[in-house]
Amino acid sequence: MYPFKLFLFPLLLMFFLSTTPPSISSTNVANINNLTQPNMNPHELETLYKIMESISSDQNWRKSYPNPCQQSSSWLGIECKKNTNNIYHVTRLDFGTHPNPTCKKTATFPSLIFQLPNLESLFFIQCFTHTKTTISIQENRILQQLSIRSNPSLIGTIPPQISSLKSLQILTLSQNNLLGQIPPQIFTLNSLIHLDLSYNNLTGQIPNQIGNLINLIGLDFSYNSLTNPIPSTIGLLKSLQKLDLSSNSLTGKIPPTIEKLQSLNFLALSNNKLSGNFPNGIHKLQELQYFLMDDNPMMFITLPDELSQLHKLQELSLSSSGYSGEIPSSYSQLVNLTTLSLQNNRLTGEIPVEFSRLSHMYHLNLSRNLLDGVVPFNSSFLKRLGRNLDLSGNPGLCLMNQHEGVYVGVNVCGSSSNTITMPLKKNRSCEASCGVVRSLFLVCVLCFLELLFCV
């Protein structure tokens, strides 16, 4: 029997080796190791944990996310990419609003974040809301998008060191409490395609160096306290599609070089101190769809007829600026116009009858002017606009007929009113001048006397 046992033993050994459970194969061993060992550079991982702990107390970040770049062990608000060596790097971080990590009350701006070597996008939205903090920049040649928005406790100036972010394409520093002047160094970021510094407390002038940002598509400096004229170098931004400089204290005329912005589709200059005639070449902005220029002291100049050549225009807003003269009938050529706001000026004459053919019009405000005559709109036009049509504050305007359910702020011609609503034409007879029924007794007496003299 002994020789048989010697023969059987190697057979049994071979059998057990051939039936090794798959759970301990080399592939599964590697998977187990991936769950227990970080798949990131240890220094980068430690930097990430320090950043998270300084900003957010939502989690015990080290314990809850031992491998934050693994899909099974990551959080909303982080993105990673794997390099050729199968090592993950953090490429995007979002903070501030759920479901991204929220910021604790003591959170301050973490300059350490620029030490993440592959970070491409960084967002702080409603993050710094309690503890005052400032922006601190460290050199980073990878970051492409920096958005710091709606942070009431973010104060101080925009640091000149922001120019060290050489690859930056999108810079948004909107709705914070930043102050001081715009640093000229920011205009060395030649890769910028979008620059938004709106809703801060920035002062001083727009630097001439703005013309260096030749790749810029969107520029928004609105709701600050910027002064002086708009620099003529703005005309060098030939790729610009959106320009918003509204709600500042800019002075002077619109620079003639603006005619070179022939990709522009949105132009907002409202609520400034701009004055003087429009540049002759403004009709060259053939891509313009929105032109907003309310609340500027353009006193006693007429509405520019050249605007009628902007055939893609959808919204034209020139209210509260002191324009005088008649509304150009050529504006009826703006066949794509949906909104026209000319209220609170000193416009005279009649409403162009051609306006009734503007089939896309849904908002028309001509209130508080000196317009007269009969309103030229038919019933379908009046009903289509409804309460989006405001003609009030023009004592000389009237409607030929009453339209049920339509109120536009003027009375029916010849109706009884404390305000004379029937327009008085030149060279009318005295009898016609009293054809309007007055409700005030004193006015009636005067009218009677006037008739006597006419006889």
Side-chain angles (χ1 to χ4, degrees), residues 55-68:
I55 295 178
S56 178
S57 55
D58 290 351
Q59 304 278 346
N60 182 331
W61 299 101
R62 296 173 187 268
K63 184 176 180 180
S64 300
Y65 302 100
N67 293 312

Side-chain angles (χ1 to χ4, degrees), residues 9 12 21 73 89-90 112 156 176-177 198 223 258 260 283 318 332 346-347 364 368 379 393 411 430 449:
F9 177 77
L12 291 173
S73 178
H89 295 283
V90 179
L112 187 65
N176 302 300
N177 265 313
S198 63
Y223 289 89
I258 204 165
K260 297 179 180 179
H283 65 278
L318 302 172
S332 62
R346 299 184 61 82
L347 300 173
L364 176 60
R368 301 190 300 282
S379 179
N411 295 310
C430 297
L449 291 174

Side-chain angles (χ1 to χ4, degrees), residues 51-101:
I51 293 166
M52 300 306 300
E53 290 165 352
S54 70
I55 295 178
S56 178
S57 55
D58 290 351
Q59 304 278 346
N60 182 331
W61 299 101
R62 296 173 187 268
K63 184 176 180 180
S64 300
Y65 302 100
N67 293 312
C69 279
Q70 278 194 344
Q71 194 169 11
S72 59
S73 178
S74 67
W75 60 85
L76 290 173
I78 184 173
E79 291 182 9
C80 302
K81 290 181 181 177
K82 186 165 56 174
N83 65 12
T84 54
N85 296 322
N86 288 327
I87 299 297
Y88 282 96
H89 295 283
V90 179
T91 57
R92 173 172 174 153
L93 286 174
D94 291 71
F95 295 95
T97 54
H98 187 77
N100 299 319

Side-chain angles (χ1 to χ4, degrees), residues 307-320:
L307 296 181
S308 64
Q309 300 178 46
L310 303 177
H311 299 300
K312 291 187 178 180
L313 210 58
Q314 297 181 31
E315 181 172 352
L316 176 60
S317 191
L318 302 172
S319 66
S320 304

